[in-house]
Amino acid sequence: MTLSIDRRQLVATGMFGLAALAIPGIAAAQALFAATGFTHNVASGEPGAHSVLLWTRYVPAHGGEARVRVELSETGDFTKIAGGGELVTGPWRDHCVKITVAGLKPGTRYHYRFIAGDGAISPVGRTRTLPLSARRLKLAVFSCSNIGFGWFNAYAHAAASDCDFAVHLGDYFYEHAPGQYPVKAEMVAGRDMLPTHEILSLTDYRLRYASYRADPDLQALHAAMPMIAIQDDHESANNSWEGGAQNHQANEGEWWVRRAAAIQAWREWMPVGDQPWASYDIGGLMSLHRTDTRLLARSQGPELTGEMRGDPALLKAFVDGAWRDPARTMMGSEQEAWLASAMAASSRAGRRWQVVAFGTNMGFQKTPEAALDFVPSVPDWAQAGFRNRVALGRAGLPQELDNWGGYPAARSRFLASAQGLAADTIVISGDSHNAWAYELAEGGRAAAVEFGVTSVTSGGLESATRGVSPEVVARTIVAGNPELRWADTSGRGYMQLTLTPQSAVNDWLFWNSVAVRKPVPDRQTRAQAPRGRRRILI
């Protein structure tokens, strides 16, 4: 069934599982927990040449365990079943069902549906296996979908597109209380969520997934194609790392408990495997590498204090010491070694493109001196921030330390490994809420290109540069950053990345506003990376 985001309807569906009855305010509504069955449509992920993971959620009338099976067919009438499987689910996994079906044909599109023991049948989804040989592949790439900011127009558009697979780079939802981010004045009517507080416990995380996954456009995307997804920070808490997070305070309990809850709910509610990272080898054309750069082994980022900012000697010591520390890592040594090995093996096998999915931007980006010209025109609350970021740039520091800019030694190790490949490397990244195209270099030599996706809904740099033309903002930032070839600092949307043996073509699709539901983008920008050049034409 397809649900709209409405708090009363959410409660009435019974979708939250028995544990939700303990939440204050919901316990009084037990009589409303009558709706049962398939509560959140279907989804697929982890595609292989001969297998795919299929997901749904089924709540039986008695609220306990239930047996659910899945069927796949090459036709929508299911007259010939191509494969299937079954699973027992229950409240211990929030009634989610994940079944990996093997023995499928490569490069084949399938219809699939779930059937419960009582005969109930889920909506029908579409998925596909990876081809053994491909001359063209098209990926829909997303990041940062905060439901309070507006409608998931990007998901609706992609669901109706000719994209083969979806890739979500993280911030699939946000952990904040409604009215905190965005603030109440910025929240779009009808884009409610539960619970009504910042999420901390396993029940909270499950409930937030249930709210987001009730969105009809997100459901349509999941039902239309397989998704390969990674986590960034907001699936747990803002600016998270293996040992804590900016948005986790001492009075909110032990971080490891919250972290474990976030990971468990992610694995229950998302069409993802339990492997923390993986490669998807797609024909002889490309490999897509899914990474974890947040929760498993990320070091705590270098801390730049106010005292350091005001003392040139302390700032230089920070740049030469904590910032360049080779022990600070985004992925951990095990994953770094795995990724370098997987990319090298894929390159030796003749796959021309190595597409690496990171949660945050890798391109080096500082706030240039010319940005001080913005200060008289930007909101009062943003003026000090611009001055501080310009000061960081003067010291040779990037404007953001929570992305790869805070881990330059780890960045250098990755780019050096990419330089040694016969294949071309494309980094796809999110988190920043704006769109970027970088030519990444290491040691003065080209290493890779990066396409940074804007947010689905979350507000971007334009909120801090009101009063300055977005074109002027983008032009100023590009002029002050040698790796940055192009930027858009105003629109919401997603990317379509098309790969052929000759080139990678990236289209950014933008909506000028997500305050209204609108499935057609307002504008589009295209960039091309010809094979073998490690350069961007735009």
Side-chain angles (χ1 to χ4, degrees):
M1 63 189 289
T2 297
L3 305 172
S4 62
I5 300 294
D6 179 272
R7 182 175 290 122
R8 290 168 298 179
Q9 189 174 10
L10 284 170
V11 173
T13 63
M15 66 177 68
F16 306 140
L18 298 180
L21 295 177
I23 300 174
I26 292 182
Q30 292 186 38
L32 298 178
F33 280 77
T36 57
F38 293 100
T39 64
H40 284 80
N41 211 301
V42 296
S44 68
E46 301 297 341
H50 301 282
S51 63
V52 69
L53 184 153
L54 305 172
W55 181 99
T56 193
R57 186 170 184 273
Y58 177 77
V59 181
H62 52 73
E65 74 172 41
R67 184 178 297 271
V68 180
R69 62 187 173 93
V70 68
E71 297 177 338
L72 293 94
S73 176
E74 293 183 42
T75 60
D77 57 10
F78 290 87
T79 54
K80 184 178 180 181
I81 304 302
E86 60 182 349
L87 180 78
V88 173
T89 189
W92 61 88
R93 58 189 301 144
D94 209 15
H95 298 282
C96 294
V97 177
K98 286 165 54 175
I99 301 174
T100 297
V101 180
L104 304 176
K105 296 179 183 178
T108 303
R109 296 186 183 274
Y110 289 97
H111 297 79
Y112 65 97
R113 64 186 181 186
F114 291 86
I115 303 171
D118 61 3
I121 300 176
S122 74
V124 174
R126 292 168 291 147
T127 191
R128 68 168 300 182
T129 52
L130 301 182
L132 295 178
S133 178
R135 303 292 295 176
R136 178 183 180 275
L137 284 165
K138 193 171 187 179
L139 308 177
V141 184
F142 308 92
S143 177
C144 302
S145 43
N146 188 322
I147 201 169
F149 277 107
W151 296 93
F152 294 158
N153 295 327
Y155 293 154
H157 185 268
S161 74
D162 63 346
C163 291
D164 298 301
F165 306 99
V167 180
H168 206 293
L169 298 173
D171 296 346
Y172 184 92
F173 70 33
Y174 283 67
E175 83 279 14
H176 306 93
Q180 183 183 52
Y181 178 66
V183 297
K184 290 182 180 179
E186 294 178 317
M187 289 188 68
V188 171
R191 304 300 282 164
D192 251 337
M193 72 193 83
L194 287 175
T196 57
H197 55 264
E198 181 182 331
I199 56 176
L200 299 171
S201 68
L202 176 58
T203 298
D204 292 342
Y205 281 95
R206 287 170 166 175
L207 192 53
R208 187 60 56 88
Y209 275 109
S211 292
Y212 272 67
R213 289 292 294 275
D215 178 85
D217 296 322
L218 180 52
Q219 287 191 1
L221 175 66
H222 275 301
M225 66 188 73
M227 176 181 285
I228 295 169
I230 67 175
Q231 292 177 287
D232 194 36
D233 52 345
H234 290 292
E235 289 90 349
S236 54
N238 184 55
N239 288 5
S240 53
W241 57 287
E242 65 172 338
Q246 176 274 330
N247 194 26
H248 183 79
Q249 284 70 51
N251 63 355
E252 293 175 327
E254 296 284 354
W255 166 248
W256 67 267
V257 175
R258 184 177 185 179
R259 175 176 172 268
I263 292 172
Q264 179 175 335
W266 161 264
R267 289 177 174 170
E268 290 170 346
W269 275 88
M270 295 294 290
V272 296
D274 290 341
Q275 304 83 5
W277 51 77
S279 292
Y280 308 83
D281 298 323
I282 306 178
L285 184 61
M286 66 167 286
S287 289
L288 173 65
H289 307 281
R290 168 171 65 82
T291 67
D292 178 275
T293 56
R294 274 295 173 191
L295 292 181
L296 298 184
R298 178 196 271 242
S299 307
Q300 185 173 21
E303 184 179 2
L304 183 60
T305 66
E307 184 183 14
M308 293 175 185
R309 294 174 189 269
D311 186 320
L314 291 177
L315 186 57
K316 185 179 186 304
F318 172 82
V319 171
D320 295 338
W323 181 58
R324 299 186 189 277
D325 185 355
R328 294 189 189 275
T329 173
M330 290 280 275
M331 296 188 289
S333 59
E334 180 185 359
Q335 188 181 180
E336 280 190 19
W338 163 80
L339 181 57
S341 177
M343 293 173 66
S346 177
S347 178
R348 289 193 299 270
R351 298 184 186 94
R352 302 184 181 192
W353 300 101
Q354 303 300 309
V355 180
V356 185
F358 288 136
T360 60
N361 296 144
M362 176 168 276
F364 186 91
Q365 185 170 320
K366 67 179 183 179
T367 302
E369 197 81 21
L372 290 176
D373 294 340
F374 303 161
V375 171
S377 302
V378 304
D380 292 345
W381 59 266
Q383 293 181 7
F386 271 104
R387 293 191 182 96
N388 286 334
R389 288 188 165 196
V390 168
L392 294 182
R394 289 174 185 152
L397 289 169
Q399 65 184 27
E400 178 61 67
L401 296 179
D402 182 59
N403 63 18
W404 282 91
Y407 303 79
R411 178 193 130 115
S412 292
R413 291 193 294 268
F414 169 78
L415 292 178
S417 69
Q419 285 175 327
L421 304 177
D424 287 16
T425 298
I426 298 174
V427 170
I428 52 175
S429 60
D431 183 66
S432 73
H433 305 177
N434 291 119
W436 318 94
Y438 300 95
E439 293 176 344
L440 304 175
E442 174 60 25
R445 296 189 299 117
V449 300
E450 177 179 0
F451 298 125
V453 66
T454 188
S455 62
V456 173
T457 57
S458 304
L461 184 59
E462 70 279 0
S463 63
T465 56
R466 289 191 291 266
V468 184
S469 163
E471 292 77 15
V472 171
V473 173
R475 188 164 59 246
T476 301
I477 296 173
V478 170
N481 288 281
E483 286 192 342
L484 184 60
R485 292 277 288 110
W486 170 88
D488 183 286
T489 62
S490 62
R492 312 279 71 79
Y494 76 112
M495 300 189 313
Q496 292 183 353
L497 176 60
T498 304
L499 299 171
T500 67
Q502 295 76 35
S503 68
V505 176
N506 194 67
D507 291 292
W508 290 269
L509 292 86
F510 295 104
W511 281 257
N512 294 332
S513 172
V514 289
V516 295
R517 196 174 178 195
K518 178 186 174 188
V520 180
D522 295 304
R523 52 195 173 86
Q524 180 174 336
T525 296
R526 171 167 290 187
Q528 182 178 6
R531 169 81 174 93
R533 293 183 59 185
R534 301 180 182 181
R535 291 286 184 262
I536 294 173
L537 306 178
I538 195 166

